Each structure stands twice: as C-alpha cells, then as structure tokens.
Amino acid sequence: MDYEAVIGLETHVQLKTRSKMWCGCANAFGAPPNTLVCPVCLGLPGTLPVPNEEALRLTALAGLLLNCTLPPRAKFDRKSYFYPDMPKNYQITQYDQPSTLDGWVEFEFNGGLARVRIKRAHLEEDVGKSLHFERTSGVDFNRAGVPLLEIVSEPDLTSADMAYAYLTALKEILVYGGVSDCDMEKGMVRCDVNVSVRPVGTRELGAKIEIKNMNSFSGVRRALEYEIPRQIEVLKHGGKLIQSTRRWDDAAGITEEMRTKEEAHDYRYFPDPDLMPLQPSEEWLAGVRARVVELPLARKQRFMRDYGLPAGDAEVFKNDVPLGDYFERVARRSPNPKAVANWVINNLRAKLAEGKSEVRGPKFEMDESLPSLAATEISLADLKFAPEALLELIALVESRTISSSAAQQVFTEMFDTGDSPRAIVERRGLAQVSDAATIEALCDQAIGANPGPVADFKAGKAAALNFLKGQVMKLSKGKANPALAGEILARKLTP
Ligand code: ADP
Ligand code: ZN
Ligand code: MG
C-alpha cells in the first residue's frame, strides 16, 4: 500500500511594532536580559493590559494579505498553563473569535502554483526565554509580551519541500507587508509542524503528530523528511500511530516523542475579563486596507508579463524590492526592458554588492538570509548617474556605436563619476568603427598576414573565422564593429 503525507503548519511570527503588546516596553532583540520589562509584562498582580493598536492593525493587515476575512467581532482569551517562561501563568491569545479567518496563500511550487488554505491568523503574546547554564537556569523576560501572530494552515501540504516553499512564501508576504521582519536569526519565526500519513486515495486523516517549536525552515524540511517515512514504516509494519507531540533533535537528525494525547494539557480557555472585545470600525479598517501592498508573487508575475522578463530576472526583482523598483523606473521608458534588466542585474547589482560584500557573505542558508530590502535602498539612493544615462548607454550599444565590451567600461566609469555615456565614449575614444571601407582594409590586412587560418577556413574549419576576426579587432585596437568584421571576412573568404 502507498501512503501520502498530510501536513498543517502553525507559524508564529513576531509583529514589527516598537513596543510590546500590552505595555510600553520596547519590542527589541539583543538587550541585556530582563532590561525590557515592567510590572505589566512581568505579570505582577494588579496590573492591566492596554492593547497595542499597531499590533491590532498589523494583524488585520496580515489577514488581508493572506486573503482572510476580518470578522466584525474578535476577542482575547486566557490560555492557562504554568511554565517558568510564562510570567502570568496564562497567555493572552484568541481562542474561538480570532481577528482573521479563512484565507489562503498562493505560491510557486514544482513549476506550477500551489494554494494552501489558512484556517485563521490570530494575535497572542510571546513568552520569556529560558536559559540553561551549567549549574543554574534563568529566564529572560525581554521577549515576554511581544506581539505574536499565529498563522494556522489547513492540512493542505503534502511534502517536506512543499512545506518549505509555503513557509518561504509566507515569510516573503509578511516582510513585504511590513508585518514582521521574520528574522530567523533573531527567533522572529517559529513553527509547530503537524503531520500525519494516510493510504493514498483515502480521505480520513491519520493520527496527528506535532513537532514543536521549530526555528528554521530548513529544520522543518529535515524534520519532515525524517518523520514522514518514520510514520509510513510504522503503519507498513502493522503498527499504530497515536496522536502525540514530538521534538526534533537537529544534531541527531531524528524526532523523539515528548508526550501523547492522554498527557495533553487542558488549557481552560476563558475570555480575558481585562480586555474589551474588538469591533473594528469601517474607518479603522479603511486605514488598514490602505496599507495593503502588492504581493511578492503578483509582483513577479507582473514583471514577467509587463516587461517580458524571464522568470529568473523577475525573481531577482521580487527578492530585491528597491532594485526592482529602480528597474521599473528605467524600463518604463525603454523600448528594450530586457536589456535594462541585464544591466541592472549583471552590472548595477554587482557594483552595489561590491560595497557591502561583508554583510552579504554566504553566512546564512538561503531561508535564513536577511531580506535585502534596506541595504540596496541606501546604495541606490546614492547613485551618481540618472536613469536616463542607462537608457543612453543601452541606445549606444543597440546602434552599434560602441561594442558590448566597451559598454562595460563605460558603465563602470559612469557608475564611478556620474558622467554621461556619450561624454565617456568621446573622452576614451571608444566609438566603434562601423565604416565598411575601413574594416574591409583591416580584413585584407588580416587575411594577408594569416595564410594558415585562411586555408583552414577554406578547408571547412569554420572556427578559423573567429581567429581572423580576432586579428581584425586587434588591428583596430578593439574598435572595429565585430559583427561587421565577421560578415566582411566571411564574404571575402567564401568563393
Ligand atoms: P488543535 O485544535 O488540536 O490545535 P487544529 O485542528 O486546530 O488542532 O489543527 C492544528 C494544526 O494541525 C493545523 O495546522 C491543522 O492543519 C493541522 N492538522 C490537523 N489535523 C491534522 C492531521 N490529521 N494531520 C496533519 N495535520 C493536521
Ligand atoms: Zn512591559
Ligand atoms: Mg498555538
């Protein structure tokens, strides 16, 4: 019997707010332990939570970006549990009336488009962080009370690779929307992975196994690559799977059981009496709607459609928003957007990267790398040449005024000095010789000086023509129009 995997993800992302969810403490990473705390986020008796309005807005915005509906009424509940990193002995979350419901994420997968339904995205608060030392343990509450969005998918994912692609797309959307920085290095995204298997062709779901608290996308993929075959093996050998929670041991590359359903917590959810239900006004919602941005996939598709770009180029401009915006500014005025893309990607991007290679080294895996939004923005703002200069440079190449190798030189100089391409061509004497009579004379010279290659060509060795062309280029000090030189040589040597 063949089995298939069924996967649903619960993804927690820290919202990009200045302060925490219920108090004025900073939402910041890396401060000394327990320096970003106050009586509210430490859960001291007698304190009252005050909702962070920007967190409410970002939650609604995330809902819109994920195609969710925003119910007219939502509320906060207390989820009771007792654990050292939880200052209040309960976590404020949204149980049966979340802020957003029933959406979907569309993303590229396996050469096509895949769609995963979103069950809900609700707002809750982060907890502190337990730290274990040699002889003692401690808790850092700086993170306690940071607004956290939990995005619950329907069990629509069917493989480790698909889960990875979904998470990548989700992260891109949230970064685009300014909902979260999704910085994996700073623990801003964490994920619970639910996975079961069932015989192919059946509809009923198998026992759900939850792998808790994954903090990298590649970890999620590796955990699933281990866990799915493990479950299938159990069933194939006549075993039974029971609903349970497991832990991923990254070093060992295995999952191990933590607890089974019988040991599951009863969270005793109840509405938080300190917090009013949320009933967003039309005006408030309009403010959120105004912040909706074009989604990454839509941007990529638009770049392919409107500018005729290949997928690879469009992908670059999807991942580097400022670079893509710059491309658009130039390409809108160009008869040849593909040429603009080539210059922006192959030359401009490389030049910009030179200045910050230390930041963008291969230190992180693909999925953990920082989004490239801000870094390029600064450099692009400092460009010395105007978009017109790039258009002019492309026109000089297309009219064959300069060769493509001379164009590289012009670009470098234009990047460094801001001078116009025409001025640089003039100053450096880079204009191509396209005058047929001049080139013909050089061709005759090359033919006369190289009887061997000439004989080779006549004997059918087509490659000999390139050698002769190279000689013409040399004689012209690189300025002959190479295409024209090739044409004239071929004509002269073909009987
Ligand atoms: P719970 O109420 O126990 O939290 P939910 O039904 O809300 O469970 O689902 C939690 C997550 O688990 C969701 O992402 C959902 O898609 C996923 N899920 C539920 N049942 C299964 C299953 N049998 N196999 C795989 N994933 C599942
Ligand atoms: Zn506080
Ligand atoms: Mg949860």
Side-chain angles (χ1 to χ4, degrees):
M1 193 167 9
D2 283 339
Y3 291 88
E4 65 183 7
V6 176
I7 304 156
L9 300 180
E10 295 162 281
T11 311
H12 299 83
V13 300
Q14 287 185 348
L15 294 178
K16 191 177 180 171
T17 56
R18 277 208 296 265
S19 55
K20 292 188 183 181
M21 188 62 220
W22 315 113
C23 61
C25 292
N27 171 7
F29 177 86
N34 297 309
T35 54
L36 308 177
V37 292
C38 73
V40 176
C41 57
L42 286 175
L44 300 189
T47 56
L48 279 175
V50 178
N52 179 331
E53 173 130 29
E54 178 62 1
L56 300 177
R57 283 191 217 104
L58 291 177
T59 299
L61 176 59
L64 294 175
L65 296 175
L66 300 175
N67 305 293
C68 292
T69 52
L70 309 181
R73 187 188 148 100
K75 71 172 170 59
F76 289 106
D77 302 277
R78 292 185 179 183
K79 176 181 182 179
S80 316
Y81 68 93
F82 191 75
Y83 197 75
D85 64 12
M86 179 77 258
K88 299 195 288 276
N89 304 334
Y90 62 85
Q91 178 189 30
I92 303 178
T93 181
Q94 296 184 308
Y95 182 51
D96 55 351
Q97 290 190 54
S99 284
T100 85
L101 278 169
D102 297 328
W104 42 267
V105 176
E106 195 171 42
F107 55 100
E108 289 178 302
F109 181 62
N110 260 353
L113 291 178
R115 192 181 269 214
V116 166
R117 290 168 299 152
I118 300 297
K119 194 169 179 171
R120 57 192 282 166
H122 65 256
L123 186 52
E124 54 188 38
E125 58 179 331
D126 211 342
V127 298
K129 200 172 173 182
S130 302
L131 303 162
H132 303 288
F133 309 105
E134 213 169 299
R135 309 189 53 136
T136 55
S137 289
V139 185
D140 175 7
F141 287 111
N142 284 349
R143 212 179 63 179
V146 164
L148 208 57
L149 184 69
E150 176 170 342
I151 301 152
V152 183
S153 87
E154 294 287 357
D156 291 348
L157 298 153
T158 55
S159 69
D161 285 339
M162 192 178 180
Y164 185 91
Y166 159 78
L167 285 170
T168 305
L170 187 62
K171 171 179 163 176
E172 282 173 7
I173 292 168
L174 298 173
V175 171
Y176 257 53
V179 172
S180 170
D181 284 334
C182 291
D183 189 336
M184 316 291 295
E185 294 279 306
K186 297 180 180 167
M188 289 183 188
V189 186
R190 281 155 277 150
C191 196
D192 297 334
V193 178
N194 302 275
V195 51
S196 61
V197 296
R198 66 183 172 194
V200 171
T202 60
R203 301 288 309 152
E204 201 187 327
L205 292 175
K208 179 180 85 175
I209 304 229
E210 180 171 11
I211 311 167
K212 278 277 190 209
N213 222 359
M214 307 288 306
N215 55 18
S216 87
F217 295 171
S218 48
V220 169
R221 179 157 62 189
R222 284 199 303 278
L224 283 167
E225 279 166 355
Y226 171 85
E227 180 63 16
I228 294 167
R230 185 193 73 81
Q231 292 185 18
I232 293 174
E233 275 308 296
V234 171
L235 295 184
K236 278 199 168 156
H237 288 86
K240 241 179 97 67
L241 292 161
I242 50 167
Q243 191 172 323
S244 54
T245 302
R246 299 178 76 84
R247 177 195 0 248
W248 168 245
D249 181 337
D250 198 66
I254 58 166
T255 62
E256 44 188 19
E257 190 163 285
M258 287 166 72
R259 57 176 182 266
T260 56
K261 195 183 179 183
E262 291 74 57
E263 307 154 59
H265 300 283
D266 174 3
Y267 291 121
R268 293 166 24 250
Y269 284 100
F270 69 94
D272 193 308
D274 290 340
L275 289 160
M276 297 279 287
L278 301 168
Q279 288 171 291
S281 70
E282 212 18 74
E283 193 189 353
W284 189 89
L285 285 170
V288 174
R289 272 189 216 107
R291 292 169 67 175
V292 169
V293 295
E294 180 180 41
L295 293 184
L297 178 61
R299 179 177 170 92
K300 179 174 177 182
Q301 290 170 333
R302 184 169 61 78
F303 274 58
M304 292 173 72
R305 186 182 62 234
D306 290 2
Y307 302 108
L309 296 186
D313 289 3
E315 179 79 20
V316 170
F317 294 140
K318 182 194 80 177
N319 292 334
D320 191 332
V321 172
L323 196 73
D325 288 348
Y326 179 82
F327 159 79
E328 273 209 283
R329 246 194 296 150
V330 184
R332 261 193 227 111
R333 288 185 280 159
S334 169
N336 190 351
K338 174 58 186 154
V340 177
N342 290 346
W343 280 102
V344 169
I345 294 174
N346 300 333
N347 297 76
L348 180 57
R349 187 173 60 149
K351 273 278 174 199
L352 294 172
E354 275 173 19
K356 51 169 196 261
S357 45
E358 69 283 1
V359 186
R360 309 219 61 204
K363 195 171 134 211
F364 310 117
E365 289 178 61
M366 267 286 278
D367 65 301
E368 344 277 279
S369 71
L370 309 176
S372 55
L373 298 180
T376 314
E377 205 160 30
I378 293 155
S379 325
L380 278 172
D382 297 340
L383 282 187
K384 290 188 176 150
F385 63 86
E388 289 75 27
L390 197 52
L391 293 171
E392 191 179 304
L393 177 61
I394 292 169
L396 288 173
V397 178
E398 283 182 350
S399 66
R400 293 184 167 191
T401 307
I402 55 173
S403 68
S404 43
S405 63
Q408 301 289 329
Q409 203 182 322
V410 174
F411 180 84
T412 303
E413 204 160 325
M414 157 180 139
F415 184 90
D416 292 339
T417 65
D419 291 346
S420 88
R422 272 185 200 289
I424 296 166
V425 168
E426 204 132 304
R427 186 164 70 217
R428 300 263 169 219
L430 291 169
Q432 260 186 157
V433 176
S434 290
D435 168 48
T438 312
I439 293 182
E440 200 161 334
L442 296 172
C443 288
D444 287 337
Q445 218 178 316
I447 288 168
N450 297 283
V454 168
D456 286 349
F457 181 76
K458 286 184 170 161
K461 255 174 102 181
L465 193 74
N466 282 334
F467 174 81
L468 293 168
K469 204 160 96 179
Q471 295 307 302
V472 172
M473 295 308 291
K474 219 173 190 176
L475 290 167
S476 74
K477 301 200 170 60
K479 285 193 229 162
N481 178 331
L484 197 54
E487 280 163 31
I488 293 173
L489 280 170
R491 176 159 50 72
K492 281 183 177 288
L493 297 177
T494 312

